[in-house]
Structures are given as C-alpha cells and as structure tokens.
C-alpha cells in the first residue's frame, strides 16, 4: 500500500510558508495510517497508569509493555471533542506549539521538547511524560501551550486530551540556534536530521504485514522523556508501543551531529506468532530517477528522497541496489546472516540532478541501520511500489528474521540509525550512476521499441571513488566481474570516467523471453574487490 506523507511533520522543504513544526499539505494527504487502525474500534479511555506519576527505572517501560501484551489488544480511544474533530487541513495547520513553553529548558541542557496537538488526521491520544530524579510525571494538556492562530475552538477542552506526538529541538547547525532534531508523530513513525539536512525519508518502530493486503500499524501509546543534565550530549526517550499483534518497550538515545545518530533498543512481547515482522523499517519516496524518466514530463530531472538501498552483508560485501518506480509492486529479498547494516540512501548530492529550489532533494539524508549484536539468519527486504507523483512514500526496506517470533516470548533487539550523506560508509569505490539504453553505438538510428528489441538492453554503471582514481592512468583497467541470473551477458566494456574519478562499465544483457534477470557487477584487481557490488533486477514482460 502506498502511504502518502501523512506521518511526516516539521517544516516540509517543499512548502516554504509552513511554520516550523506544522505539517504541510503533502505531509497530511494520508495521515490515516496513524488514525485508521482505531477508527472501527469501540471507544475506551487510555489506561490510567499512563496518566499519573510513578517511580521510573530502566525496566519501567518493559514492565508496562509486558503487562499490556498479557491483555487483549484495545486500540480504541474516546472520540475527539467536536471542535477538534471537525478541523480541516488549514485549521489544524494553524495550531502551533508556543516556543516559550517548551519543556526541558529548566535543567539548562541543550534540548527542548515541544508537543503536537490532536486533530484532523491525528486523533489518537499519546501520553507524554517527563522523567526527573527517578519519577515519571505526565505532561497535562493545557490549551495555553498552543497558539491556535486563526483557528477557533469554542468551549473548554478536557484535561486528559493528551497530544498527537512530540518533537525535539537542539543546537544542531549553530550553537546559538535551536533546530528541529527529531520528530515522533503518527503510528510509530519518526524522522531526524543531521547537520545541513532537510526532511525526506522516515524510520518506524516496527512493521507488520507490510507485504500483505492488511498491513498493521503499531503505534506509540506513550513517551517518557528523560530530563537531561546541563552538559548532556544526547537525549533519551522511552516509548510504549502497541498493536493487535505485539506490545513493546523502546528506548531512543538521540545524539545530534554531522550524522545524527539514534541508538534504538527494544524489547518486544508478541501477542501471537509473528511471521511477517519488519525490524528497523525505513520508508521513502522514489518517483523519477536516472534509470527511468518516462513517468512524468516534469522539468526536474529527478525526484526522490532516496536513490538506492545500501547493504553491508555479514560476509563483509557491500551492495548497492538502485531504486526504481516500477510498473507493478516489486519485492526484492537479500538473504543474509548477521548483517552489518542496511539503509535507504540519497547518494546523488548535485543540485543539477533535481533543479528544485524549494524541495532541496540534494540535502535529504539517508538512514543507515547498524545492528548491535548478531541478528542471525534473515533477509533485507526491499519493497518498491508504483507511484505517479512525489507525495507518496512508495519505498520500504527492513530486516526480516528467518524464524517467526513466537507468541509470549520476549524479543530483544538493538541497533543504531544514522542520518548520512553516504560518503563515508565504506572506503571502496561506489556506484555513482546507473543508466539503461538500447545496446547500440551512440548516435546510431534508434530502433522501434518492440518486444524483441526490449529484450536486449545496455546497462551503464559509473563506479567512482575509493582507489579507482589512482588507477586511471594505468595501462590495464580493473577487471569487470559481472553475472546475470537469467539470460546472458553478450558484451562488456570499461572506459575511464575522470569526471567521477573512476570508470564507466557497460553490460549488454539479453533475455530470450519474458522474465527477470538479477544482474550484479563490481570491479576488482587481482583478488581485491575495488568497489561495492552493483545489483539490479531487470524485467521483461
């Protein structure tokens, strides 16, 4: 299912008039992923223990999650008061948290906590608590925390209204200015920024049933934010996750920097056996790229939040899989054991590739996930969905364990997500560009694009960086190692490409009939791999 960017928050770079923290129209087109789960359930109040103070220690949220999992799932909540339930996009967008009411500043530390109001596409209540000196104290709803702008909400609002989500500010880019650092709003979605980055893709706490017809959206029921000391370099946020299939306790440690990191630890309590669970899921958008410009006559050459899936396998191999906007749903599975990392990356950093003065696609981060400890056997799953616009998140990637999680048995996981530009993940040469054309000489007359002609294609892969630039003057270029799971590679060639400090490789591939060929290529010299491995699925109808 394609999800539009309703879970996104903060200022959207494509909407220059949006106030800080106010979701733009493209952000809200389908926030129903966060709200729809409870739409058909009977109304019920939040558990009372989420609305009062209690002693807090490292295992407090785990105990709550375990107790929650022992009960039948109840995701219902009381309906919003009429003034809030009837808000349209513009009215909701006008409700802003007052900067001078931000929390956490009393300790003298660098972080500030702000809250999102409930309403419009965010009806689910989220309890927010501050943890200070071993005591968790709920933040009570108070309309004075918000500037309602031109939006008029008549009559009193209940004190237990709670909030829709949270966001954190910190001096990310300049020591004298607070920048938005991380946002949690809508289901279990969150996104965060490194220095000089703009929002693009999102992370999620957990994915369930993503590949099926009825995806389940676990949601964060409550947050517990530790009040940091004055000299804090990182902020710790705990979260209680819930859904029909599972409950869980999460701990997020956010450290701002050039590549802001979020260290995640989670203890999951399955209510039922989970065979379709996605760990550390990432969600992004890919509309138009260099391999296929036929989806739109837009003046902008490329439109995407991410342009490739990066995988560091357990064996030490680095893979690069360019993303695509396919004609139908495409699911790619990369089997592995104890992966070292994976992520959706935005590698192309040239403004000329996008020509968008507002969206700033060249400044959008990639998120790279690095497991803490051995994750065992499983696979990195990439799902690409067709889209006809740039407002939809049509790319999903996550880790799927080979063995299902049994009901009633706790699962403990830990990993770190970094907001990267992707330049320093590994030292080898990287895939800089991927182009697809017919296998003909440049300038030759073009053949009609019949079925027979489309069974032969030329794939042009630019490898640059690493040690490649030092070998451009060598008499012999690096060796091409290429393979195809179906069909045959009819020709290969390699020429220096000084514009990227590397080489351009050409692979001519032919399929004799309909089908899919998984293509792979990398460069080596002797027994040493000089580049990551390019991986691409090519389909012929």
């Amino acid at each position: 299912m394609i999800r539009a960017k309703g879970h996104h928050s903060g200022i959207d770079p494509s909407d220059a008039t949006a106030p800080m923290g106010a979701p733009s129209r493209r952000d809200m087109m389908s926030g129903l992923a966060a709200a729809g789960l409870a739409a058909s359930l009977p109304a019920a109040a939040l558990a009372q223990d989420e609305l009062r103070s209690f002693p807090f220690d490292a295992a407090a949220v785990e105990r709550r999650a375990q107790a929650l999992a022992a009960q039948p799932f109840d995701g219902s909540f009381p309906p919003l008061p009429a003034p809030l339930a009837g808000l349209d996009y513009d009215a909701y967008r006008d409700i802003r948290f007052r900067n001078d009411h931000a929390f956490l500043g009393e300790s003298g530390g660098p972080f500030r906590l702000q809250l999102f109001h409930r309403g419009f596409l965010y009806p689910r209540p989220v309890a927010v608590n501050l943890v200070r000196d071993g005591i968790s104290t709920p933040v009570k709803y108070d309309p004075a925390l918000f500037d309602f702008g031109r939006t008029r909400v008549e009559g009193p609002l209940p004190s237990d209204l709670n909030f829709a989500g949270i966001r954190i500010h910190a001096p990310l880019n300049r020591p004298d200015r607070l920048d938005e650092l991380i946002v949690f709003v809508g289901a279990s979605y969150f996104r965060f920024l490194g220095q000089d980055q703009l929002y693009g893709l999102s992370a999620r706490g957990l994915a369930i049933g993503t590949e099926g017809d009825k995806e389940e959206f676990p949601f964060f029921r409550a947050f517990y934010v530790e009040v940091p000391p004055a000299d804090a370099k990182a902020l710790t946020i705990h979260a209680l996750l819930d859904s029909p299939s599972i409950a869980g306790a999460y701990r997020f440690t956010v450290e701002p920097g050039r590549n802001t990191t979020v260290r995640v630890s989670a203890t999951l309590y399955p209510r039922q056996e989970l065979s379709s669970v996605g760990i550390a899921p990432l969600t992004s958008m890919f509309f138009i790229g260099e391999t296929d410009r036929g989806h739109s006559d837009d003046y902008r050459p490329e439109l995407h939040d991410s342009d490739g899936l990066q995988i560091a396998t357990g064996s030490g191999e680095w893979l690069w899989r360019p993303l695509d906007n396919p004609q139908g749903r495409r699911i790619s599975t990369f089997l592995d054991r104890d992966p070292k990392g994976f992520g959706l990356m935005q590698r192309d950093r040239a403004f000329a590739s996008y020509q968008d003065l507002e969206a700033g696609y060249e400044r959008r981060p990639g998120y790279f996930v690095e497991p803490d400890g051995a994750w065992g056997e499983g696979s990195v799953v990439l799902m690409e969905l067709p889209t006809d616009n740039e407002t939809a998140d049509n790319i999903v990637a996550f880790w799927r364990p080979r063995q299902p999680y049994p009901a009633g048995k706790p699962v403990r996981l830990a990993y770190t997500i970094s907001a990267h530009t992707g330049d320093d993940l590994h030292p080898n040469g990287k895939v800089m560009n991927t182009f697809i054309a017919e296998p003909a000489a440049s300038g030759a007359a073009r053949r009609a694009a019949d079925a027979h002609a489309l069974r032969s294609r030329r794939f042009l892969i630019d490898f640059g960086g690493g040690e490649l630039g030092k070998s451009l003057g060598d008499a012999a270029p690096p060796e091409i190692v290429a393979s195809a799971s179906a069909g045959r590679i009819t020709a290969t060639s390699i020429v220096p490409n000084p514009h990227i400090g590397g080489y351009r490789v050409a692979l001519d591939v032919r399929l004799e009939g309909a089908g899919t060929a998984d293509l792979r290529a990398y460069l080596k010299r002797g027994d040493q791999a000089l580049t990551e491995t390019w991986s691409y699925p090519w389909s012929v109808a």
Side-chain angles (χ1 to χ4, degrees), residues 299-331:
Y299 74 93
R300 296 166 294 176
E302 300 184 36
L303 296 170
H304 48 74
D305 289 337
S306 307
D307 56 6
L309 170 67
Q310 179 88 76
I311 301 176
T313 69
S315 65
E317 182 182 24
W318 285 87
L319 297 176
W320 177 258
R321 162 68 154 77
L323 297 179
D324 190 23
N325 182 2
Q327 294 184 357
R329 186 177 73 162
R330 175 189 290 160
I331 298 176

Side-chain angles (χ1 to χ4, degrees), residues 232-419:
K233 304 297 183 184
L235 180 71
T236 298
I237 302 169
H238 305 262
L240 180 64
L241 181 123
D242 199 8
S243 80
S245 300
I246 200 167
Y250 280 72
R251 175 188 173 103
F252 302 91
T253 303
V254 187
E255 185 170 353
R258 175 175 173 266
N259 299 321
T260 293
T261 60
V262 180
R263 297 191 298 277
V264 183
S265 60
T267 303
L268 307 176
Y269 299 91
R271 287 187 170 95
Q272 59 194 44
E273 182 179 272
L274 291 180
S275 59
S276 182
V277 63
I279 303 301
L282 306 174
T283 304
S284 192
M285 179 276 293
F286 186 94
F287 178 32
I288 302 173
E290 61 198 17
T291 60
D292 185 358
R293 306 174 190 273
H295 293 283
S296 171
D297 62 356
D298 198 296
Y299 74 93
R300 296 166 294 176
E302 300 184 36
L303 296 170
H304 48 74
D305 289 337
S306 307
D307 56 6
L309 170 67
Q310 179 88 76
I311 301 176
T313 69
S315 65
E317 182 182 24
W318 285 87
L319 297 176
W320 177 258
R321 162 68 154 77
L323 297 179
D324 190 23
N325 182 2
Q327 294 184 357
R329 186 177 73 162
R330 175 189 290 160
I331 298 176
S332 303
T333 302
F334 301 83
L335 300 177
D336 202 5
R337 180 183 181 89
D338 298 334
K340 292 181 172 62
F342 70 93
L344 293 174
M345 312 304 294
Q346 183 78 315
R347 181 167 284 179
D348 191 337
R349 296 282 157 187
F351 169 77
S353 298
Y354 308 100
Q355 291 293 337
D356 195 316
L357 294 172
E358 294 182 345
Y361 286 110
E362 71 279 2
R363 294 175 58 193
R364 304 202 174 191
Y367 287 170
F368 193 73
V369 176
E370 297 175 89
D372 182 0
W375 279 10
E377 294 185 349
S379 56
V380 175
V381 177
L382 172 67
M383 185 165 68
E384 298 164 294
L385 303 171
T387 182
D388 61 0
N389 63 77
E390 65 187 290
T391 67
D393 278 348
N394 62 320
I395 306 295
V396 184
F398 51 81
W399 172 257
R400 168 149 297 158
R402 179 181 178 185
Q403 297 297 328
Y405 292 159
K409 184 177 180 180
V411 178
R412 288 179 169 82
L413 296 165
Y415 53 93
T416 298
I417 311 180
S418 302

Side-chain angles (χ1 to χ4, degrees), residues 110-291:
F111 300 97
R112 299 293 183 271
L113 166 67
Q114 296 191 7
L115 309 169
F116 288 99
H117 205 285
R118 292 173 63 196
F120 191 46
L121 298 180
Y122 301 103
R124 178 179 293 283
V126 176
V128 179
N129 305 266
L130 297 180
V131 179
R132 181 188 294 106
D133 299 327
I135 300 295
S136 174
T137 303
V139 176
K140 300 293 186 181
Y141 173 78
D142 185 346
L145 295 172
F146 297 90
D147 178 355
F148 286 78
R150 293 166 297 179
T151 298
R152 295 290 175 259
V153 178
E154 303 296 338
L157 295 172
S159 60
D160 61 352
L161 186 66
N162 275 315
F163 308 96
I166 65 174
R167 66 175 182 165
I168 302 296
H169 288 77
L172 177 63
N173 295 299
R174 284 173 30 184
D176 60 342
R177 184 180 70 189
L178 292 174
D179 298 302
E180 191 161 296
L181 175 65
I182 188 168
V183 169
F184 294 83
V185 67
S188 67
Y189 287 92
F190 63 97
R191 54 183 188 169
F192 58 99
L193 296 171
Q195 290 175 355
D196 195 34
Q197 296 174 357
L198 298 175
Y199 280 134
L201 80 168
S202 296
R204 295 167 63 185
L206 200 65
I208 297 178
T210 302
E211 299 151 283
D213 296 329
K214 295 183 179 180
E215 182 173 2
E216 185 174 307
F217 289 92
F219 60 91
F220 289 130
R221 182 184 287 274
F223 292 101
Y224 309 85
V225 183
E226 293 189 15
V227 177
D231 59 350
K233 304 297 183 184
L235 180 71
T236 298
I237 302 169
H238 305 262
L240 180 64
L241 181 123
D242 199 8
S243 80
S245 300
I246 200 167
Y250 280 72
R251 175 188 173 103
F252 302 91
T253 303
V254 187
E255 185 170 353
R258 175 175 173 266
N259 299 321
T260 293
T261 60
V262 180
R263 297 191 298 277
V264 183
S265 60
T267 303
L268 307 176
Y269 299 91
R271 287 187 170 95
Q272 59 194 44
E273 182 179 272
L274 291 180
S275 59
S276 182
V277 63
I279 303 301
L282 306 174
T283 304
S284 192
M285 179 276 293
F286 186 94
F287 178 32
I288 302 173
E290 61 198 17
T291 60

Side-chain angles (χ1 to χ4, degrees), residues 37 41 53 79-80 82 115 170 207 254 311 319 360 440 458 463 506 512:
L37 183 63
L41 297 173
S53 298
L80 278 170
L115 309 169
V254 187
I311 301 176
L319 297 176
R458 175 167 295 165
F463 290 99
E512 298 304 327

